[in-house]
Amino acid sequence: MSDDLSPVLGDVIYRVVENEPAFRAFLRKRLGNETIVEDVFQQCVLRAVERQHSVKNQDSVVAWFYQILRNAVIDYYRSKAAEESRHRAFEKEAEVLQQQDVPSLDAVNAA
């Protein structure tokens, strides 16, 4: 490990790389889509680096990273649900506007 890394960060990086296949399998089982797995995994690695100071026991790095993965999966599904809700609201508003007698933009500009 590089002398520039803190011992905790070095251990976090080592454990993440060492267990990467298992971590990715955990995400793949819960997310299914390989592109999403890649994005979420990269976000988790970044979170781990940013929060490496919160590791209380270096023996628990793997369990700590699994918690980061679990939280990221929850965040992903919450975000997806919120996006779908916004999309449904937009579609409903568009449907209401279509039912109203709203002039076209060309008609407004011509007036």
Side-chain angles (χ1 to χ4, degrees):
M1 282 181 250
S2 171
D3 292 335
D4 296 339
L5 296 177
S6 74
V8 173
L9 180 58
D11 192 43
V12 166
I13 292 170
Y14 175 78
R15 299 289 175 116
V16 168
V17 170
E18 178 182 52
N19 293 284
E20 182 177 351
F23 294 147
R24 287 181 181 275
F26 175 88
L27 291 173
R28 200 172 293 113
K29 182 177 179 182
R30 285 151 182 83
L31 301 171
N33 182 303
E34 196 61 37
T35 302
I36 296 169
V37 167
E38 180 65 28
D39 289 346
V40 170
F41 184 75
Q42 288 180 17
Q43 291 169 9
C44 290
V45 170
L46 180 59
R47 285 182 192 166
V49 169
E50 292 172 345
R51 299 176 185 164
Q52 48 95 16
H53 63 278
S54 70
V55 175
K56 306 224 182 318
N57 178 352
Q58 290 187 348
D59 292 336
S60 66
V61 169
V62 172
W64 172 80
F65 193 72
Y66 270 115
Q67 187 61 49
I68 291 174
L69 294 172
R70 279 190 290 279
N71 291 341
V73 169
I74 291 166
D75 291 347
Y76 168 78
Y77 281 113
R78 281 183 185 153
S79 174
K80 184 177 178 182
E83 182 179 329
E84 289 172 357
S85 177
R86 286 189 303 271
H87 184 72
R88 283 191 304 274
F90 175 77
E91 286 178 339
K92 185 176 180 180
E93 182 67 22
E95 185 178 306
V96 168
L97 289 174
Q98 283 181 342
Q99 292 173 356
Q100 295 175 352
D101 190 21
V102 179
S104 70
L105 184 57
D106 291 334
V108 170
N109 287 335

